Amino acid sequence: MRRRGSGILCHITSLPSPFGIGDLGPGAYAFADFLAEAKQSYWQILPLNPTSRRYADSPFSTMSSCAGNTAVISPEVLVGEGLLTGQEIANPPRFPDGKVDYQAVSDFKQQLFNRAHARFREGEADNREYQRFCSGEAGWLEEHALFTALYYHLGEIPLAEWPEAIRNRDSDELHGLRESLAEQIGREKFLQYTFYKQWQALRNYCNLKGIHIIGDFPMFMNYDSVDIWVDPGYFKVSGDKRPYVVAGSPPDDFSAVGQIFNCALYNWDAMKGDGFSWWLRRFHYLLKLYDFVRIDHFRGLIAYWEVPAGEETAVNGNWQPAMASDFLNALLRRYPTLPVIAEDLGAITPDIREVMAVYGIPGIKILLLGFEKVDFESVYLPHNHVQNCVVYTGTHDTNTVMGWYHQGDREDREVVSRYLGCDIAIEPNWTFIRCAMMSVANTAILQMQDVLGTGEESRMNYPGKAEGNWQWRFPAGEYRSHALRLAEMTELYGRAR
């Protein structure tokens, strides 16, 4: 990301689709065409790992470090492969407008996936591509498929409540379960293969159009994850795989009582002891999926906020050191270009800035936070930007520009007008887009909501709020009508691909 460019932040689940959730089918390809027409260089998405209804389907609370979210598999692509019929997908249920109902989507898609898997099994033994996938990804796929089958077999109860023999991976017990749950295990392997194949086809399509994918991944693992089940020594959990401390963030601009992430913390000594093999495996898979990776909660690599398990807020946490330099050096030996972006928000201290500078890792600047007097951070204002950074109008954790404008403080709006020397009342969203585009930052990323000019109802996440997040979707409509205007602005500020 050493040259000027720009892109759009839009998660796959937000895309238009007749099946209740954005997916890897025609709607995704149409969005890639829109990015190309608008002369964009990047498409940024949120994590694509599996989500769970117990954790409100947050993409940042995942049950597997390497598996894909099968909910975004496209039924239409499965029809094209002969695994479903056109009639079977012709009359989907009526899903809510403008948001994802994850449970309704799951109920509908599981029926389709069962049919597709049944047809796939007829030629599975002769499918060399599938066999290569299973062999090449066996390091994570076998245990993930077993864990997923067990999770649903046991009624989706927490890992710490699993029967002791299963929780502790008794070999005789697991051997019997692998046999009795063979169909469910095979189904999950098929779905992971299908996800991977559909995703790679979309990514290749984007790359051929000059669009690079910026992926994302959660800093911490859900404590009901296959990773903890298989490798508990890498995490701060007790003998029954129950966390005694959990990850969080201290009180900050996003939340007055901090945030508890419902995630386990790493045993960094154990990680370092085997050369960070778990992390290297994770990045190996990430860089098969994405061109660049945004490291969520980057400061967790330098120091992390540790909260005693059972606390209702993160106020009573404390900072604990991590091993950023040792880990990044191990990563550099494998990936010399280190294609990462740091989400450097929150309590950022000089040691974090030093690590980012030493390794040349770009941070992020959020315009909305720069113009709010309550959260005012002058480092986010354009005159303080540097080339090696990524400027955002806003992110999944902030309001949209229009939501901020209509719900925010009048004095904040006046500050923007004075700063930019213009009245922003006519088109606040495009004013912020222009402000990001004209920044000296090498990369500018625009929320799709800001391109569309949607309000607070379309924000993806309210930090600290447990329910009702990650649901926003936009209709097919005329969103591509914005391509010409965006292309002209992209060219004007030297960001055209």
Side-chain angles (χ1 to χ4, degrees):
M1 307 180 86
R2 301 299 182 187
R3 65 176 181 84
R4 286 179 69 79
S6 60
I8 291 179
L9 167 59
C10 181
H11 194 36
I12 300 296
T13 60
S14 296
L15 296 172
S17 161
F19 307 109
I21 189 171
D23 61 33
L24 302 176
Y29 287 84
F31 189 75
D33 292 340
F34 162 72
L35 291 174
E37 292 168 15
K39 299 188 181 298
Q40 299 306 293
S41 302
Y42 303 105
W43 180 357
Q44 181 172 336
I45 61 173
L46 302 183
L48 272 180
N49 302 103
T51 64
S52 166
R53 62 182 175 182
R54 186 188 305 141
Y55 301 104
D57 286 286
S58 168
F60 290 93
S61 185
T62 182
M63 299 170 65
S64 174
S65 61
C66 293
N69 186 351
T70 58
V72 300
I73 290 174
S74 167
E76 289 160 298
V77 175
L78 290 175
V79 170
E81 295 176 345
L83 295 176
L84 291 175
T85 68
Q87 185 176 2
E88 287 170 336
I89 70 168
N91 297 296
R94 180 171 177 78
F95 294 104
D97 294 329
K99 69 176 185 178
V100 180
D101 181 336
Y102 286 96
Q103 189 57 51
V105 167
S106 177
D107 292 343
F108 170 67
K109 283 199 168 183
Q110 294 313 314
Q111 298 177 42
L112 297 181
F113 293 163
N114 288 338
R115 293 170 182 164
H117 181 228
R119 292 176 179 128
F120 177 81
R121 290 176 65 185
E122 296 173 4
E124 178 180 326
D126 299 323
N127 191 322
R128 294 184 179 180
E129 183 182 51
Y130 174 69
Q131 302 302 333
R132 281 196 299 269
F133 172 80
C134 291
S135 174
E137 306 301 333
W140 63 268
L141 179 62
E142 292 294 332
E143 298 295 354
H144 164 77
L146 174 59
F147 180 89
T148 301
L150 287 169
Y151 178 74
Y152 290 108
H153 174 69
L154 296 171
E156 303 179 54
I157 61 175
L159 172 61
E161 298 176 14
W162 285 18
E164 183 177 0
I166 302 176
R167 187 180 66 229
N168 293 336
R169 297 176 55 79
D170 177 87
S171 57
D172 291 336
E173 186 76 15
L174 291 188
H175 178 74
L177 286 166
R178 285 184 191 277
E179 291 186 347
S180 63
L181 296 175
E183 183 175 348
Q184 294 92 320
I185 292 169
R187 179 181 179 277
E188 181 62 21
K189 290 167 70 174
F190 158 70
L191 291 177
Q192 288 299 322
Y193 163 70
T194 301
F195 165 85
Y196 184 80
K197 185 168 67 170
Q198 289 192 7
W199 171 256
Q200 291 296 354
L202 175 62
R203 180 190 175 188
N204 290 340
Y205 185 82
C206 291
N207 286 170
L208 287 172
K209 288 180 171 288
I211 301 161
H212 300 287
I213 304 294
I214 302 175
D216 202 333
F217 75 97
M219 169 56 65
F220 301 109
M221 292 304 304
N222 189 309
Y223 47 66
D224 286 331
S225 69
V226 61
D227 299 81
I228 293 176
W229 185 54
V230 173
D231 293 310
Y234 290 149
F235 302 90
K236 290 188 173 184
V237 294
S238 60
D240 63 358
K241 297 182 172 63
R242 194 181 302 273
Y244 52 86
V245 289
V246 296
S249 64
D252 59 16
D253 294 340
F254 290 106
S255 175
V257 295
Q259 298 181 65
I260 293 179
F261 299 151
N262 290 318
C263 296
L265 290 165
Y266 299 117
N267 180 342
W268 281 104
D269 289 332
M271 293 280 191
K272 182 179 179 181
D274 74 350
F276 302 99
S277 62
W278 182 87
W279 276 103
L280 293 175
R281 182 186 69 184
R282 189 179 190 188
F283 263 85
H284 175 71
Y285 191 70
L286 284 167
L287 292 174
K288 281 186 176 181
L289 299 181
Y290 312 124
D291 300 300
F292 299 91
V293 175
R294 172 190 176 272
I295 301 179
D296 179 60
H297 197 67
F298 180 82
R299 74 146 301 118
L301 293 177
I302 291 86
Y304 53 89
W305 190 250
E306 183 177 278
V307 183
E311 290 285 328
E312 293 185 0
T313 73
V315 171
N316 293 324
N318 59 83
W319 290 111
Q320 295 291 331
M323 296 182 176
S325 294
D326 292 327
F327 163 63
L328 290 171
N329 286 337
L331 199 59
L332 270 173
R333 286 191 288 272
R334 183 75 61 88
Y335 305 104
T337 57
L338 204 61
V340 299
I341 300 166
E343 189 248 15
D344 54 340
L345 301 178
I348 302 303
T349 49
D351 55 343
I352 300 171
R353 298 292 181 210
E354 181 179 356
V355 168
M356 293 174 61
V358 167
Y359 292 92
I361 299 172
I364 70 176
K365 313 294 182 187
I366 301 176
L367 292 180
L368 280 177
L369 297 187
F371 289 114
E372 290 186 343
K373 71 174 185 298
V374 175
D375 303 327
F376 187 81
E377 293 285 352
S378 61
V379 69
Y380 298 144
L381 294 174
H383 68 273
N384 288 322
H385 293 177
V386 296
Q387 283 186 305
N388 190 33
C389 77
V390 183
V391 58
Y392 291 79
T393 51
T395 74
H396 61 272
D397 280 333
T398 72
N399 207 336
T400 68
V401 169
M402 294 302 290
W404 170 87
Y405 181 84
H406 291 295
Q407 302 294 330
D409 190 280
R410 179 176 58 84
E411 293 182 13
D412 291 345
R413 297 195 291 269
E414 292 175 351
V415 167
V416 180
S417 293
R418 290 200 305 273
Y419 184 90
L420 298 176
C422 65
D423 183 0
I424 69 166
I426 300 174
E427 290 184 309
N429 56 319
W430 282 98
T431 300
F432 271 76
I433 289 172
R434 184 179 297 277
C435 189
M437 286 291 201
M438 70 193 336
S439 167
V440 70
N442 282 338
T443 308
I445 301 293
L446 321 170
Q447 279 202 100
M448 186 59 179
Q449 294 94 316
D450 295 333
V451 174
L452 297 174
T454 55
E456 185 175 25
E457 74 286 348
S458 65
R459 67 182 291 173
M460 282 295 278
N461 182 44
Y462 289 83
K465 178 184 174 184
E467 302 289 338
N469 297 317
W470 319 112
Q471 296 178 344
W472 176 71
R473 297 183 66 210
F474 64 94
E478 297 297 324
Y479 75 92
R480 292 178 71 167
S481 64
H482 298 287
L484 178 60
R485 185 176 188 181
L486 195 54
E488 290 175 345
M489 194 176 291
T490 304
E491 288 185 322
L492 179 63
Y493 295 110
R495 297 188 182 277
R497 58 180 178 82

